[in-house]
Structure formats: C-alpha cells, structure tokens
Amino acid sequence: MNSLPNAVTIKEVGPRDGLQNEQENVSTADKIAWINQLSRSGYSYIEVSSFVHPKWIPQLADAKEVAESIERYPGVTYAALTPNMKGLERAIEADIDEVSIFMSASDTHNRKNINKSIADTYPILQEVVDEAKQAGKTVRGYVSTVFGCPYEGHVPVSQVIDVCQRLLNMGIDELSLGDTIGVANPKQVDSALSQIQQELSFDHLAMHFHNTRGMALANVLVSLEHGITTFDGALGGLGGCPYAKGASGNLATDDLVHMFHEMGLDTGISMEGLMEAGGFIQSKLGKALPSHHMQIQNRNQ
Ligand code: HMG
Ligand code: MG
C-alpha cells in the first residue's frame, strides 16, 4: 500500500443510523446508557440521534431527551441529523454540538427520504446551514446514494459532484459520502473518488459505507489510498436506511477498528470498550448483531 496515515477518525453513527432502522424500540434510558458507554470507549464523535419528523422515524422520537440526558465527555462531539429548520430548532434547544444536513444524489431517493426534489431541498438546507452557523454550530453534510440508488440504479458521478458542490458552497464543515445501499465496489470507489477529488476542494471528507454486500472494508482501504482518514461506522453493524429498500447495516465499527489497529493505525478507541457496549445494545435489541467481532464474542460466551 502507498503511505498510510498514523491515525484515523471514526465517527460512530449507531445511535442514529443503527437505531433508526431497528424494529425493536430501545428505551430512552437504554439509549442514554449506551451512548455514555460509547463516550467512555474513546470516540471523538458520536451521532446521537435525529431531529426528523417522529412520524417518519418513530424510533428516534426521543432525540431531545436523549441529547439532553447523555453525559457530555470532553473531547467528544455530539451530533444529530437536522433535515430542516424545525429539526435545527429542536437540536439547538438540546444543545447538540454539530448538526448534519442530508440529501441524496438521486432525485427519487431524495423524495422518498425527505419528501422533496433535489432542487427544492437546496434552499431549505441553506437556511439550516446559515442558522446553525449563527448559533455557533459546525455542520456536516451527507450525500446519499453516491454509488447507486435503490430506485434509479446507477448514479452518474457528475450528478454526485453537482450535489456535493452545492453543499460545499453552503459552507458545510465536512462532507460525508454515503453508499446508502452498500453497492459500491473498490474499483468504483477508486474511480469516483479520483473524479470527485479532482473537481472539488475539501477541508474534510468522510466516507459512510453500508456493508450490505460485504464490500465496506475493501472500500475503506481504497478510500485510505485516496488520503481519506475519516470513516463512519455503527457498532456491531447496526443500521440501514428506512427509505432505501435493501439497505442493511452500516460498516461495523468494531470490525473497522480491529482492522486499523492490526494495520498499526491509531483510532483512539478501545476494542474492549466497544465489545462491552456492543454486548449491551445487543441485549436490549434482543438479537445478535451481525459484525464479525460480535459474532466471535457471542460464540465465546
Ligand atoms: P414533511 O412532511 O414534508 O414536512 O417532512 P413539512 O415541512 O411539510 O411539515 C409537515 C409537518 O411536520 C409539520 O407539522 C411540521 O411542523 C412537522 P404540522 O404543521 O403538520 O403539525 N415537521 C417536523 N416535526 C419535527 N421535526 C422536524 C419536522 N419537520 C417538519 N424536523 C421531513 C419532511 C424532512 C421532516 C421528513 O421527510 C422526515 O422527517 N424525513 C426523515 C427521513 C430520515 O430520517 N431518513 C433517514 C436518515 S438519512 C440516512 O439514513 C442516510 C445517511 O445515513 C447517509 C447514507 O447512508 O447514505 C445519512
Ligand atoms: Mg447511512
């Protein structure tokens, strides 16, 4: 491999991307206890919930209570999704550190996910970014369906670049590129990143892989070779997208951390802490989590 960084940043999205897709409702008290365990495991960033419409994502209807009740550990950024001004107002009331706007590179997924065309989404998100900045918050921007859409199939990279450019122009602090339904392959990631990095200039770029077809870790390695050092993961491989049929769990943070540690890259995260927190949320969901490390732990118990 070409030269590797000494350290990488892993952003835990399990409490949001993971739990938004679980049938079993985890109680507010258990979510709070779990996020506190995650904070103690060495993360610098945890996406704790989502200030979306509770009718759309009932699993996260308690976003405000969760955000207000978790312990805030120094050095940890606590983030949440905010699709519009109503969401931002709720997030600010709950004193979220960083808010995340999100939209798709394909129009059909955008409509299914946030009930608007891509064109109609831009002014809404611009207002959210402007107001969030006024309130002293940093803003992350997610682009979904970067490598394929469950409704439209192939998504041209030029279309992805257009959407990314619009978000960057809004003044976001970090862009996270989402393989929402886990269809990306390493060659495709290599080619898309070459084009994206040539056309756009970034302060911070992150990758958000789902592991539907088992290709997420391979895609991380290709992204590393493109100089990307920030990756999203969900402990145990929890997760999905309720508006993307077939989307399964996120790349499992525990498997990702293990790979980086074995390669000699620092994550700041304790594998022991992760496994304990994984065991806790698994017991609350009442089902085995799919990551390799959770399977090993479950076999050994
Ligand atoms: P809408 O129905 O079009 O909203 O939903 P609206 O603006 O027309 O408002 C309708 C009503 O909803 C109003 O109430 C609003 O006040 C209320 P009424 O006047 O009728 O009583 N409302 C809200 N209430 C609470 N919080 C809010 C809010 N907004 C409006 N924020 C909306 C539009 C975006 C809200 C809706 O479509 C929604 O909540 N969508 C969420 C979808 C979602 O969470 N998807 C999963 C996250 S994205 C993802 O997983 C992908 C990612 O992981 C990356 C990847 O993997 O690619 C990030
Ligand atoms: Mg996702």
Side-chain angles (χ1 to χ4, degrees):
M1 292 186 81
N2 294 332
S3 69
L4 290 171
N6 294 327
V8 288
T9 302
I10 296 180
K11 301 198 166 181
E12 175 62 42
V13 298
R16 191 278 303 176
D17 207 345
L19 295 185
Q20 78 182 8
N21 216 32
E22 291 297 335
Q23 299 303 320
E24 191 62 39
N25 222 349
V26 176
S27 75
T28 305
D30 288 339
K31 287 180 192 173
I32 294 163
W34 185 44
I35 294 167
N36 289 341
Q37 286 183 358
L38 294 172
S39 292
R40 290 191 291 271
S41 302
Y43 285 101
S44 57
Y45 191 104
I46 305 173
E47 195 171 76
V48 295
S49 195
S50 197
F51 292 91
V52 293
H53 197 301
K55 186 181 73 196
W56 287 60
I57 311 280
Q59 292 91 331
L60 302 181
D62 57 0
K64 187 164 184 283
E65 200 180 341
V66 168
E68 284 176 346
S69 309
I70 51 175
E71 286 170 51
R72 303 291 181 104
Y73 285 70
V76 185
T77 298
Y78 295 93
L81 298 194
T82 54
N84 53 17
M85 283 304 294
K86 174 93 184 170
L88 179 67
E89 282 158 22
R90 293 171 59 213
I92 289 173
E93 274 175 44
D95 197 24
I96 283 292
D97 300 323
E98 175 165 295
V99 297
S100 296
I101 55 170
F102 57 100
M103 62 180 294
S104 313
S106 51
D107 206 61
T108 317
H109 184 264
N110 203 63
R111 287 175 192 270
K112 301 268 185 195
N113 198 31
I114 50 177
N115 210 21
K116 295 206 171 37
S117 68
I118 286 181
D120 289 345
T121 302
Y122 290 134
I124 293 170
L125 297 188
Q126 181 71 67
E127 195 184 0
V128 173
V129 175
D130 291 345
E131 290 295 322
K133 295 270 164 169
Q134 282 280 323
K137 308 293 178 191
T138 51
V139 182
R140 176 175 234 227
Y142 279 106
V143 178
S144 289
T145 64
V146 166
F147 301 97
C149 170
Y151 308 102
E152 296 178 18
H154 173 70
V155 178
V157 180
S158 57
Q159 206 169 301
V160 173
I161 290 173
D162 273 0
V163 172
C164 292
Q165 184 67 71
R166 293 291 295 255
L167 291 185
L168 291 167
N169 291 348
M170 287 179 196
I172 58 169
D173 299 277
E174 179 175 72
L175 182 68
S176 179
L177 300 180
D179 180 19
T180 315
I181 51 170
V183 286
N185 68 70
K187 193 170 176 211
Q188 182 190 10
V189 173
D190 182 41
S191 156
L193 282 178
S194 298
Q195 293 175 67
I196 290 168
Q197 289 175 314
Q198 199 177 342
E199 302 247 345
L200 301 173
S201 77
F202 297 100
D203 288 334
H204 300 286
L205 178 61
M207 299 304 288
H208 178 105
F209 291 113
H210 285 254
N211 199 34
T212 320
R213 292 164 184 80
M215 291 193 282
L217 280 180
N219 292 330
V220 165
L221 290 178
V222 171
S223 310
L224 261 187
E225 295 222 310
H226 279 263
I228 296 168
T229 56
T230 302
F231 299 95
D232 299 348
L235 182 53
L238 274 169
C241 176
Y243 299 100
K245 195 162 169 264
S248 78
N250 286 84
L251 167 57
T253 316
D254 38 334
D255 293 340
L256 183 63
V257 167
H258 170 83
M259 181 182 80
F260 283 140
H261 288 181
E262 291 294 306
M263 292 169 70
L265 277 58
D266 186 21
T267 65
I269 298 171
S270 140
M271 218 35 219
E272 213 182 351
L274 281 190
M275 298 321 293
E276 194 185 318
F280 176 82
I281 195 64
Q282 177 177 263
S283 73
K284 300 304 170 191
L285 287 165
K287 65 170 200 190
L289 293 182
S291 71
H292 292 286
H293 282 80
M294 286 307 300
Q295 288 181 45
I296 295 168
Q297 174 160 280
N298 291 339
R299 273 201 300 274
N300 290 341
Q301 266 168 4

